[in-house]
Short mmCIF file of all heavy atoms in Angstrom, two decimals:
data_model
loop_
_atom_site.label_atom_id
_atom_site.label_comp_id
_atom_site.label_asym_id
_atom_site.label_seq_id
_atom_site.Cartn_x
_atom_site.Cartn_y
_atom_site.Cartn_z
N MET A 1 -2.38 -11.97 11.58
CA MET A 1 -3.66 -11.40 11.93
C MET A 1 -3.87 -10.15 11.10
O MET A 1 -2.99 -9.32 10.97
CB MET A 1 -3.67 -11.08 13.42
CG MET A 1 -4.84 -10.21 13.82
SD MET A 1 -4.85 -9.86 15.57
CE MET A 1 -6.03 -11.09 16.06
N ALA A 2 -5.03 -10.00 10.53
CA ALA A 2 -5.36 -8.82 9.73
C ALA A 2 -5.78 -7.69 10.66
O ALA A 2 -6.57 -7.89 11.58
CB ALA A 2 -6.47 -9.15 8.75
N LEU A 3 -5.24 -6.54 10.44
CA LEU A 3 -5.54 -5.37 11.25
C LEU A 3 -5.99 -4.23 10.35
O LEU A 3 -5.77 -4.25 9.14
CB LEU A 3 -4.28 -4.93 12.00
CG LEU A 3 -3.61 -5.97 12.89
CD1 LEU A 3 -2.27 -5.45 13.36
CD2 LEU A 3 -4.49 -6.30 14.06
N ALA A 4 -6.58 -3.23 10.93
CA ALA A 4 -6.91 -2.03 10.18
C ALA A 4 -5.62 -1.29 9.86
O ALA A 4 -4.67 -1.32 10.64
CB ALA A 4 -7.84 -1.14 11.00
N PRO A 5 -5.55 -0.65 8.70
CA PRO A 5 -4.34 0.13 8.37
C PRO A 5 -4.10 1.20 9.42
O PRO A 5 -5.03 1.75 9.98
CB PRO A 5 -4.68 0.77 7.03
CG PRO A 5 -5.79 -0.04 6.47
CD PRO A 5 -6.54 -0.59 7.65
N PRO A 6 -2.84 1.48 9.71
CA PRO A 6 -2.57 2.54 10.68
C PRO A 6 -3.03 3.88 10.15
O PRO A 6 -3.09 4.10 8.95
CB PRO A 6 -1.05 2.51 10.82
CG PRO A 6 -0.55 1.85 9.60
CD PRO A 6 -1.63 0.93 9.14
N ARG A 7 -3.37 4.75 11.06
CA ARG A 7 -3.79 6.10 10.66
C ARG A 7 -2.60 7.03 10.90
O ARG A 7 -2.13 7.18 12.01
CB ARG A 7 -4.98 6.55 11.48
CG ARG A 7 -6.16 5.65 11.29
CD ARG A 7 -7.45 6.43 11.43
NE ARG A 7 -8.59 5.55 11.32
CZ ARG A 7 -9.19 5.26 10.17
NH1 ARG A 7 -8.74 5.77 9.06
NH2 ARG A 7 -10.23 4.47 10.14
N LEU A 8 -2.14 7.59 9.83
CA LEU A 8 -1.04 8.54 9.94
C LEU A 8 -1.60 9.92 9.67
O LEU A 8 -2.33 10.12 8.70
CB LEU A 8 0.06 8.23 8.92
CG LEU A 8 0.78 6.91 9.12
CD1 LEU A 8 1.83 6.73 8.05
CD2 LEU A 8 1.42 6.85 10.49
N GLY A 9 -1.25 10.86 10.51
CA GLY A 9 -1.77 12.21 10.35
C GLY A 9 -1.44 12.83 9.01
O GLY A 9 -2.16 12.67 8.04
N ASP A 10 -0.34 13.48 8.92
CA ASP A 10 0.04 14.21 7.72
C ASP A 10 1.24 13.53 7.08
O ASP A 10 2.37 13.82 7.41
CB ASP A 10 0.36 15.66 8.07
CG ASP A 10 0.59 16.52 6.85
OD1 ASP A 10 0.12 16.15 5.76
OD2 ASP A 10 1.25 17.55 6.98
N TRP A 11 1.00 12.60 6.18
CA TRP A 11 2.09 11.91 5.51
C TRP A 11 2.15 12.37 4.07
O TRP A 11 1.21 12.90 3.52
CB TRP A 11 1.94 10.40 5.60
CG TRP A 11 0.60 9.92 5.14
CD1 TRP A 11 -0.52 9.78 5.91
CD2 TRP A 11 0.22 9.58 3.82
NE1 TRP A 11 -1.56 9.36 5.14
CE2 TRP A 11 -1.15 9.23 3.86
CE3 TRP A 11 0.89 9.53 2.61
CZ2 TRP A 11 -1.83 8.83 2.73
CZ3 TRP A 11 0.18 9.13 1.49
CH2 TRP A 11 -1.15 8.78 1.56
N SER A 12 3.27 12.14 3.46
CA SER A 12 3.47 12.64 2.11
C SER A 12 4.20 11.60 1.26
O SER A 12 4.98 10.82 1.77
CB SER A 12 4.30 13.92 2.16
OG SER A 12 4.57 14.38 0.87
N LEU A 13 3.92 11.62 -0.05
CA LEU A 13 4.59 10.71 -0.97
C LEU A 13 5.53 11.47 -1.90
O LEU A 13 5.72 11.09 -3.04
CB LEU A 13 3.55 9.97 -1.82
CG LEU A 13 2.83 8.83 -1.13
CD1 LEU A 13 1.78 8.24 -2.06
CD2 LEU A 13 3.78 7.75 -0.70
N VAL A 14 6.12 12.51 -1.43
CA VAL A 14 7.03 13.30 -2.26
C VAL A 14 8.15 12.40 -2.76
O VAL A 14 8.81 11.72 -1.98
CB VAL A 14 7.60 14.49 -1.47
CG1 VAL A 14 8.65 15.22 -2.28
CG2 VAL A 14 6.49 15.42 -1.04
N GLY A 15 8.32 12.36 -4.07
CA GLY A 15 9.36 11.54 -4.66
C GLY A 15 9.03 10.08 -4.81
O GLY A 15 9.87 9.28 -5.23
N ARG A 16 7.83 9.67 -4.46
CA ARG A 16 7.45 8.25 -4.53
C ARG A 16 6.40 7.99 -5.60
O ARG A 16 5.80 6.92 -5.63
CB ARG A 16 6.89 7.79 -3.18
CG ARG A 16 7.81 7.93 -1.99
CD ARG A 16 9.09 7.10 -2.11
NE ARG A 16 8.88 5.69 -2.18
CZ ARG A 16 8.82 4.86 -1.15
NH1 ARG A 16 8.94 5.30 0.06
NH2 ARG A 16 8.65 3.57 -1.34
N GLU A 17 6.18 8.94 -6.49
CA GLU A 17 5.14 8.81 -7.51
C GLU A 17 5.39 7.59 -8.40
O GLU A 17 4.45 6.86 -8.73
CB GLU A 17 5.05 10.07 -8.37
CG GLU A 17 4.58 11.29 -7.60
CD GLU A 17 5.69 12.01 -6.85
OE1 GLU A 17 6.87 11.65 -6.99
OE2 GLU A 17 5.36 12.94 -6.09
N GLU A 18 6.64 7.35 -8.78
CA GLU A 18 6.96 6.20 -9.64
C GLU A 18 6.73 4.88 -8.89
O GLU A 18 6.25 3.91 -9.48
CB GLU A 18 8.40 6.28 -10.15
CG GLU A 18 8.59 7.34 -11.21
CD GLU A 18 7.69 7.14 -12.42
OE1 GLU A 18 7.58 6.00 -12.92
OE2 GLU A 18 7.08 8.14 -12.86
N ASP A 19 7.05 4.85 -7.60
CA ASP A 19 6.79 3.65 -6.80
C ASP A 19 5.29 3.38 -6.73
O ASP A 19 4.85 2.23 -6.83
CB ASP A 19 7.35 3.81 -5.39
CG ASP A 19 8.87 3.84 -5.37
OD1 ASP A 19 9.49 3.23 -6.26
OD2 ASP A 19 9.42 4.48 -4.46
N LEU A 20 4.50 4.43 -6.56
CA LEU A 20 3.05 4.29 -6.51
C LEU A 20 2.52 3.75 -7.84
O LEU A 20 1.67 2.86 -7.86
CB LEU A 20 2.40 5.63 -6.17
CG LEU A 20 0.91 5.62 -5.89
CD1 LEU A 20 0.59 4.78 -4.67
CD2 LEU A 20 0.40 7.03 -5.69
N LYS A 21 3.03 4.25 -8.95
CA LYS A 21 2.62 3.77 -10.27
C LYS A 21 3.00 2.31 -10.47
O LYS A 21 2.22 1.53 -11.02
CB LYS A 21 3.25 4.63 -11.37
CG LYS A 21 2.66 6.00 -11.49
CD LYS A 21 3.38 6.80 -12.56
CE LYS A 21 2.91 8.23 -12.59
NZ LYS A 21 3.66 9.03 -13.57
N ARG A 22 4.21 1.92 -10.02
CA ARG A 22 4.63 0.52 -10.16
C ARG A 22 3.77 -0.41 -9.31
O ARG A 22 3.40 -1.49 -9.75
CB ARG A 22 6.11 0.37 -9.78
CG ARG A 22 7.06 0.74 -10.89
CD ARG A 22 8.47 0.21 -10.63
NE ARG A 22 9.05 0.69 -9.39
CZ ARG A 22 9.71 1.83 -9.26
NH1 ARG A 22 9.87 2.62 -10.29
NH2 ARG A 22 10.23 2.17 -8.11
N LEU A 23 3.45 0.02 -8.10
CA LEU A 23 2.59 -0.78 -7.24
C LEU A 23 1.22 -0.94 -7.87
O LEU A 23 0.67 -2.05 -7.91
CB LEU A 23 2.47 -0.13 -5.85
CG LEU A 23 1.59 -0.83 -4.83
CD1 LEU A 23 2.05 -2.25 -4.58
CD2 LEU A 23 1.57 -0.03 -3.53
N HIS A 24 0.67 0.13 -8.41
CA HIS A 24 -0.64 0.06 -9.07
C HIS A 24 -0.59 -0.87 -10.28
O HIS A 24 -1.48 -1.71 -10.46
CB HIS A 24 -1.09 1.46 -9.47
CG HIS A 24 -2.41 1.45 -10.16
ND1 HIS A 24 -3.57 1.04 -9.54
CD2 HIS A 24 -2.76 1.79 -11.41
CE1 HIS A 24 -4.58 1.13 -10.39
NE2 HIS A 24 -4.11 1.58 -11.53
N ALA A 25 0.44 -0.76 -11.11
CA ALA A 25 0.57 -1.61 -12.29
C ALA A 25 0.65 -3.08 -11.88
O ALA A 25 0.03 -3.95 -12.50
CB ALA A 25 1.79 -1.21 -13.11
N HIS A 26 1.40 -3.37 -10.81
CA HIS A 26 1.53 -4.75 -10.33
C HIS A 26 0.18 -5.29 -9.88
O HIS A 26 -0.20 -6.41 -10.25
CB HIS A 26 2.53 -4.81 -9.16
CG HIS A 26 2.62 -6.16 -8.54
ND1 HIS A 26 3.38 -7.17 -9.10
CD2 HIS A 26 2.04 -6.67 -7.44
CE1 HIS A 26 3.26 -8.25 -8.34
NE2 HIS A 26 2.46 -7.97 -7.33
N LEU A 27 -0.56 -4.52 -9.11
CA LEU A 27 -1.86 -4.99 -8.63
C LEU A 27 -2.86 -5.12 -9.76
O LEU A 27 -3.67 -6.05 -9.77
CB LEU A 27 -2.39 -4.05 -7.54
CG LEU A 27 -1.65 -4.17 -6.21
CD1 LEU A 27 -2.06 -3.04 -5.28
CD2 LEU A 27 -1.89 -5.51 -5.57
N GLU A 28 -2.83 -4.24 -10.73
CA GLU A 28 -3.73 -4.34 -11.88
C GLU A 28 -3.40 -5.59 -12.69
O GLU A 28 -4.30 -6.27 -13.17
CB GLU A 28 -3.61 -3.10 -12.75
CG GLU A 28 -4.24 -1.86 -12.14
CD GLU A 28 -5.76 -1.94 -12.10
OE1 GLU A 28 -6.38 -2.13 -13.16
OE2 GLU A 28 -6.32 -1.82 -11.00
N GLN A 29 -2.13 -5.89 -12.84
CA GLN A 29 -1.70 -7.05 -13.62
C GLN A 29 -2.09 -8.36 -12.95
O GLN A 29 -2.47 -9.31 -13.60
CB GLN A 29 -0.19 -7.01 -13.84
CG GLN A 29 0.35 -8.20 -14.59
CD GLN A 29 1.87 -8.15 -14.72
OE1 GLN A 29 2.53 -7.25 -14.21
NE2 GLN A 29 2.43 -9.11 -15.39
N HIS A 30 -1.98 -8.41 -11.63
CA HIS A 30 -2.23 -9.65 -10.89
C HIS A 30 -3.64 -9.75 -10.33
O HIS A 30 -3.96 -10.70 -9.63
CB HIS A 30 -1.20 -9.79 -9.77
CG HIS A 30 0.17 -10.05 -10.29
ND1 HIS A 30 1.05 -9.02 -10.57
CD2 HIS A 30 0.80 -11.18 -10.63
CE1 HIS A 30 2.17 -9.54 -11.04
NE2 HIS A 30 2.05 -10.84 -11.10
N GLY A 31 -4.47 -8.80 -10.61
CA GLY A 31 -5.84 -8.85 -10.12
C GLY A 31 -5.97 -8.26 -8.74
O GLY A 31 -5.02 -8.17 -7.98
N GLN A 32 -7.18 -7.86 -8.42
CA GLN A 32 -7.41 -7.16 -7.16
C GLN A 32 -7.37 -8.09 -5.96
O GLN A 32 -7.25 -7.64 -4.84
CB GLN A 32 -8.72 -6.40 -7.22
CG GLN A 32 -8.65 -5.23 -8.18
CD GLN A 32 -9.89 -4.38 -8.11
OE1 GLN A 32 -10.81 -4.64 -7.34
NE2 GLN A 32 -9.94 -3.36 -8.93
N ALA A 33 -7.47 -9.39 -6.18
CA ALA A 33 -7.43 -10.32 -5.06
C ALA A 33 -6.03 -10.90 -4.93
O ALA A 33 -5.84 -12.09 -4.90
CB ALA A 33 -8.46 -11.42 -5.27
N SER A 34 -5.05 -10.05 -4.86
CA SER A 34 -3.68 -10.52 -4.75
C SER A 34 -3.04 -10.01 -3.47
O SER A 34 -3.47 -9.03 -2.90
CB SER A 34 -2.86 -10.07 -5.96
OG SER A 34 -2.71 -8.69 -5.97
N VAL A 35 -2.01 -10.71 -3.06
CA VAL A 35 -1.22 -10.31 -1.91
C VAL A 35 0.05 -9.69 -2.45
O VAL A 35 0.75 -10.30 -3.26
CB VAL A 35 -0.90 -11.51 -1.01
CG1 VAL A 35 0.05 -11.11 0.10
CG2 VAL A 35 -2.17 -12.11 -0.45
N THR A 36 0.34 -8.48 -2.04
CA THR A 36 1.53 -7.80 -2.53
C THR A 36 2.32 -7.26 -1.35
O THR A 36 1.95 -6.26 -0.76
CB THR A 36 1.14 -6.64 -3.48
OG1 THR A 36 0.36 -7.18 -4.53
CG2 THR A 36 2.36 -5.97 -4.04
N PRO A 37 3.40 -7.93 -0.99
CA PRO A 37 4.21 -7.41 0.11
C PRO A 37 5.01 -6.19 -0.33
O PRO A 37 5.42 -6.09 -1.48
CB PRO A 37 5.14 -8.58 0.45
CG PRO A 37 5.21 -9.39 -0.79
CD PRO A 37 3.91 -9.20 -1.52
N VAL A 38 5.17 -5.27 0.58
CA VAL A 38 6.03 -4.10 0.37
C VAL A 38 7.12 -4.22 1.42
O VAL A 38 6.83 -4.16 2.61
CB VAL A 38 5.23 -2.79 0.53
CG1 VAL A 38 6.14 -1.58 0.35
CG2 VAL A 38 4.07 -2.74 -0.46
N SER A 39 8.35 -4.44 0.98
CA SER A 39 9.42 -4.69 1.95
C SER A 39 10.60 -3.77 1.72
O SER A 39 10.74 -3.15 0.67
CB SER A 39 9.87 -6.16 1.85
OG SER A 39 10.42 -6.40 0.56
N GLY A 40 11.44 -3.68 2.72
CA GLY A 40 12.64 -2.86 2.64
C GLY A 40 13.10 -2.47 4.03
O GLY A 40 12.48 -2.82 5.03
N LEU A 41 14.18 -1.73 4.08
CA LEU A 41 14.73 -1.29 5.36
C LEU A 41 13.76 -0.34 6.06
O LEU A 41 12.97 0.35 5.41
CB LEU A 41 16.06 -0.57 5.13
CG LEU A 41 17.19 -1.43 4.57
CD1 LEU A 41 18.39 -0.57 4.23
CD2 LEU A 41 17.57 -2.51 5.56
N GLY A 42 13.85 -0.29 7.36
CA GLY A 42 13.01 0.60 8.15
C GLY A 42 13.26 2.06 7.80
O GLY A 42 14.39 2.46 7.55
N GLY A 43 12.19 2.83 7.77
CA GLY A 43 12.31 4.26 7.55
C GLY A 43 12.32 4.70 6.09
O GLY A 43 12.50 5.88 5.80
N LEU A 44 12.11 3.76 5.16
CA LEU A 44 12.13 4.11 3.74
C LEU A 44 10.78 4.57 3.20
O LEU A 44 10.70 5.00 2.06
CB LEU A 44 12.62 2.91 2.91
CG LEU A 44 14.07 2.53 3.11
CD1 LEU A 44 14.43 1.32 2.27
CD2 LEU A 44 14.99 3.68 2.78
N GLY A 45 9.73 4.45 4.00
CA GLY A 45 8.42 4.93 3.57
C GLY A 45 7.48 3.86 3.04
O GLY A 45 6.57 4.16 2.27
N LYS A 46 7.67 2.61 3.47
CA LYS A 46 6.80 1.52 3.00
C LYS A 46 5.37 1.74 3.46
O LYS A 46 4.43 1.58 2.67
CB LYS A 46 7.31 0.18 3.53
CG LYS A 46 8.69 -0.19 3.02
CD LYS A 46 9.20 -1.46 3.68
CE LYS A 46 9.35 -1.35 5.16
NZ LYS A 46 10.37 -0.41 5.64
N THR A 47 5.18 2.13 4.70
CA THR A 47 3.83 2.38 5.22
C THR A 47 3.20 3.55 4.50
O THR A 47 2.03 3.48 4.09
CB THR A 47 3.88 2.63 6.74
OG1 THR A 47 4.41 1.46 7.38
CG2 THR A 47 2.50 2.92 7.29
N ALA A 48 3.96 4.62 4.29
CA ALA A 48 3.42 5.79 3.58
C ALA A 48 3.03 5.41 2.15
O ALA A 48 2.01 5.88 1.64
CB ALA A 48 4.43 6.93 3.58
N LEU A 49 3.83 4.57 1.49
CA LEU A 49 3.50 4.14 0.14
C LEU A 49 2.20 3.34 0.12
O LEU A 49 1.33 3.59 -0.71
CB LEU A 49 4.65 3.30 -0.43
CG LEU A 49 4.44 2.75 -1.83
CD1 LEU A 49 4.32 3.88 -2.84
CD2 LEU A 49 5.58 1.81 -2.20
N ALA A 50 2.07 2.41 1.05
CA ALA A 50 0.84 1.60 1.11
C ALA A 50 -0.37 2.47 1.43
O ALA A 50 -1.44 2.31 0.83
CB ALA A 50 1.00 0.49 2.15
N LEU A 51 -0.23 3.39 2.36
CA LEU A 51 -1.34 4.28 2.69
C LEU A 51 -1.65 5.25 1.54
O LEU A 51 -2.81 5.58 1.29
CB LEU A 51 -1.05 5.05 3.97
CG LEU A 51 -1.05 4.20 5.23
CD1 LEU A 51 -0.59 5.02 6.43
CD2 LEU A 51 -2.40 3.58 5.49
N GLY A 52 -0.61 5.67 0.84
CA GLY A 52 -0.82 6.51 -0.33
C GLY A 52 -1.58 5.76 -1.41
O GLY A 52 -2.44 6.32 -2.09
N TYR A 53 -1.27 4.47 -1.56
CA TYR A 53 -2.01 3.65 -2.53
C TYR A 53 -3.47 3.56 -2.12
O TYR A 53 -4.36 3.71 -2.95
CB TYR A 53 -1.39 2.26 -2.66
CG TYR A 53 -2.06 1.48 -3.76
CD1 TYR A 53 -1.63 1.62 -5.07
CD2 TYR A 53 -3.14 0.65 -3.51
CE1 TYR A 53 -2.26 0.95 -6.10
CE2 TYR A 53 -3.78 -0.01 -4.52
CZ TYR A 53 -3.33 0.13 -5.82
OH TYR A 53 -3.97 -0.53 -6.84
N LEU A 54 -3.70 3.32 -0.84
CA LEU A 54 -5.09 3.24 -0.35
C LEU A 54 -5.83 4.56 -0.57
O LEU A 54 -6.99 4.56 -0.97
CB LEU A 54 -5.11 2.91 1.14
CG LEU A 54 -5.03 1.46 1.51
CD1 LEU A 54 -4.97 1.30 3.02
CD2 LEU A 54 -6.21 0.70 0.96
N ALA A 55 -5.17 5.67 -0.31
CA ALA A 55 -5.81 6.97 -0.49
C ALA A 55 -6.14 7.23 -1.96
O ALA A 55 -7.16 7.83 -2.29
CB ALA A 55 -4.90 8.07 0.04
N THR A 56 -5.28 6.76 -2.86
CA THR A 56 -5.46 7.01 -4.28
C THR A 56 -6.39 6.00 -4.95
O THR A 56 -7.24 6.37 -5.75
CB THR A 56 -4.09 6.98 -5.00
OG1 THR A 56 -3.22 7.91 -4.35
CG2 THR A 56 -4.22 7.34 -6.46
N TYR A 57 -6.24 4.72 -4.62
CA TYR A 57 -6.96 3.67 -5.33
C TYR A 57 -7.88 2.83 -4.44
O TYR A 57 -8.52 1.90 -4.93
CB TYR A 57 -5.96 2.72 -6.00
CG TYR A 57 -5.08 3.39 -7.00
CD1 TYR A 57 -3.75 3.67 -6.71
CD2 TYR A 57 -5.56 3.76 -8.25
CE1 TYR A 57 -2.92 4.29 -7.63
CE2 TYR A 57 -4.74 4.37 -9.18
CZ TYR A 57 -3.42 4.63 -8.86
OH TYR A 57 -2.62 5.25 -9.79
N GLY A 58 -7.94 3.13 -3.16
CA GLY A 58 -8.70 2.30 -2.23
C GLY A 58 -10.17 2.13 -2.55
O GLY A 58 -10.76 1.10 -2.23
N GLN A 59 -10.77 3.11 -3.21
CA GLN A 59 -12.20 3.02 -3.54
C GLN A 59 -12.49 1.88 -4.51
O GLN A 59 -13.64 1.46 -4.65
CB GLN A 59 -12.71 4.36 -4.09
CG GLN A 59 -12.22 4.70 -5.48
CD GLN A 59 -10.82 5.30 -5.53
OE1 GLN A 59 -10.16 5.44 -4.50
NE2 GLN A 59 -10.36 5.65 -6.71
N ARG A 60 -11.47 1.34 -5.16
CA ARG A 60 -11.65 0.23 -6.11
C ARG A 60 -11.81 -1.12 -5.41
O ARG A 60 -12.12 -2.11 -6.06
CB ARG A 60 -10.46 0.16 -7.05
CG ARG A 60 -10.30 1.37 -7.91
CD ARG A 60 -9.07 1.22 -8.77
NE ARG A 60 -8.88 2.40 -9.59
CZ ARG A 60 -8.35 2.39 -10.78
NH1 ARG A 60 -7.93 1.26 -11.30
NH2 ARG A 60 -8.21 3.51 -11.46
N TYR A 61 -11.53 -1.17 -4.13
CA TYR A 61 -11.51 -2.44 -3.41
C TYR A 61 -12.65 -2.52 -2.40
O TYR A 61 -12.99 -1.55 -1.75
CB TYR A 61 -10.17 -2.59 -2.67
CG TYR A 61 -8.99 -2.58 -3.60
CD1 TYR A 61 -8.34 -1.40 -3.93
CD2 TYR A 61 -8.53 -3.77 -4.17
CE1 TYR A 61 -7.27 -1.39 -4.81
CE2 TYR A 61 -7.46 -3.77 -5.04
CZ TYR A 61 -6.84 -2.57 -5.36
OH TYR A 61 -5.78 -2.56 -6.22
N GLU A 62 -13.20 -3.72 -2.28
CA GLU A 62 -14.24 -3.95 -1.28
C GLU A 62 -13.64 -4.26 0.09
O GLU A 62 -14.26 -4.01 1.11
CB GLU A 62 -15.13 -5.13 -1.71
CG GLU A 62 -15.96 -4.83 -2.94
CD GLU A 62 -16.81 -6.00 -3.34
OE1 GLU A 62 -17.23 -6.77 -2.45
OE2 GLU A 62 -17.04 -6.16 -4.54
N LEU A 63 -12.46 -4.81 0.10
CA LEU A 63 -11.82 -5.23 1.34
C LEU A 63 -10.32 -5.00 1.24
O LEU A 63 -9.70 -5.31 0.23
CB LEU A 63 -12.09 -6.72 1.60
CG LEU A 63 -11.38 -7.34 2.80
CD1 LEU A 63 -11.93 -6.77 4.10
CD2 LEU A 63 -11.54 -8.84 2.78
N VAL A 64 -9.74 -4.48 2.30
CA VAL A 64 -8.29 -4.32 2.40
C VAL A 64 -7.88 -4.95 3.72
O VAL A 64 -8.41 -4.62 4.77
CB VAL A 64 -7.88 -2.84 2.37
CG1 VAL A 64 -6.38 -2.70 2.66
CG2 VAL A 64 -8.25 -2.19 1.06
N ALA A 65 -6.95 -5.89 3.67
CA ALA A 65 -6.42 -6.53 4.88
C ALA A 65 -5.02 -5.98 5.11
O ALA A 65 -4.16 -6.03 4.23
CB ALA A 65 -6.39 -8.04 4.73
N TRP A 66 -4.80 -5.45 6.28
CA TRP A 66 -3.50 -4.89 6.65
C TRP A 66 -2.86 -5.88 7.60
O TRP A 66 -3.39 -6.19 8.65
CB TRP A 66 -3.69 -3.55 7.34
CG TRP A 66 -2.43 -2.81 7.55
CD1 TRP A 66 -1.58 -2.95 8.61
CD2 TRP A 66 -1.86 -1.83 6.69
NE1 TRP A 66 -0.50 -2.10 8.46
CE2 TRP A 66 -0.66 -1.40 7.28
CE3 TRP A 66 -2.26 -1.28 5.47
CZ2 TRP A 66 0.14 -0.43 6.70
CZ3 TRP A 66 -1.46 -0.31 4.91
CH2 TRP A 66 -0.28 0.10 5.51
N ILE A 67 -1.69 -6.41 7.25
CA ILE A 67 -1.02 -7.42 8.08
C ILE A 67 0.27 -6.82 8.62
O ILE A 67 1.13 -6.39 7.86
CB ILE A 67 -0.74 -8.69 7.27
CG1 ILE A 67 -2.05 -9.26 6.74
CG2 ILE A 67 0.01 -9.71 8.11
CD1 ILE A 67 -1.88 -10.37 5.75
N ASP A 68 0.37 -6.80 9.92
CA ASP A 68 1.56 -6.29 10.59
C ASP A 68 2.60 -7.40 10.59
O ASP A 68 2.51 -8.33 11.37
CB ASP A 68 1.21 -5.85 11.99
CG ASP A 68 2.38 -5.23 12.73
OD1 ASP A 68 3.52 -5.27 12.21
OD2 ASP A 68 2.16 -4.69 13.83
N ALA A 69 3.59 -7.29 9.73
CA ALA A 69 4.59 -8.35 9.57
C ALA A 69 5.65 -8.33 10.67
O ALA A 69 6.49 -9.22 10.75
CB ALA A 69 5.25 -8.26 8.20
N GLU A 70 5.64 -7.31 11.50
CA GLU A 70 6.63 -7.25 12.59
C GLU A 70 6.24 -8.14 13.76
O GLU A 70 7.05 -8.42 14.62
CB GLU A 70 6.79 -5.81 13.07
CG GLU A 70 7.50 -4.95 12.05
CD GLU A 70 7.83 -3.57 12.61
OE1 GLU A 70 7.97 -3.45 13.85
OE2 GLU A 70 7.95 -2.65 11.83
N ARG A 71 5.00 -8.56 13.77
CA ARG A 71 4.53 -9.41 14.88
C ARG A 71 4.25 -10.81 14.36
O ARG A 71 3.61 -10.96 13.33
CB ARG A 71 3.25 -8.83 15.48
CG ARG A 71 3.47 -7.46 16.03
CD ARG A 71 2.20 -6.88 16.58
NE ARG A 71 2.42 -5.48 16.87
CZ ARG A 71 1.48 -4.68 17.23
NH1 ARG A 71 0.25 -5.10 17.35
NH2 ARG A 71 1.74 -3.42 17.49
N PRO A 72 4.72 -11.81 15.07
CA PRO A 72 4.48 -13.21 14.61
C PRO A 72 3.02 -13.61 14.71
O PRO A 72 2.23 -13.07 15.38
CB PRO A 72 5.34 -14.04 15.54
CG PRO A 72 5.78 -13.17 16.66
CD PRO A 72 5.52 -11.76 16.26
#
């Protein structure tokens, strides 16, 4: 089920600039209508990275679908 992205108060991408650049390069290479999972262990900042991408590049997209993968 597609949900609205979570709203996080004061989050930061300190030290994740290269990850943000790689995510952007991947999406630019595969087109804006692509599905790009962000995965990893809990607490590594996957949500902050995705929200940071939205804050930085979100204006380029007409639609963003946020899928909560923790729920079946």
Side-chain angles (χ1 to χ4, degrees):
M1 168 179 261
L3 304 170
R7 300 212 183 270
L8 295 180
D10 187 22
W11 52 271
S12 176
L13 283 177
V14 174
R16 301 298 298 270
E17 294 83 7
E18 287 302 314
D19 292 331
L20 188 62
K21 288 178 186 176
R22 278 196 302 273
L23 179 58
H24 179 63
H26 175 81
L27 288 170
E28 287 290 303
Q29 178 183 2
H30 291 91
Q32 291 187 1
S34 67
V35 174
T36 303
V38 178
S39 63
L41 296 173
L44 293 179
K46 297 174 299 294
T47 299
L49 179 63
L51 290 174
Y53 186 86
L54 275 176
T56 305
Y57 300 105
Q59 71 279 2
R60 297 178 181 212
Y61 300 90
E62 292 180 32
L63 175 68
V64 173
W66 190 274
I67 301 171
D68 184 352
E70 290 188 26
R71 299 178 190 172

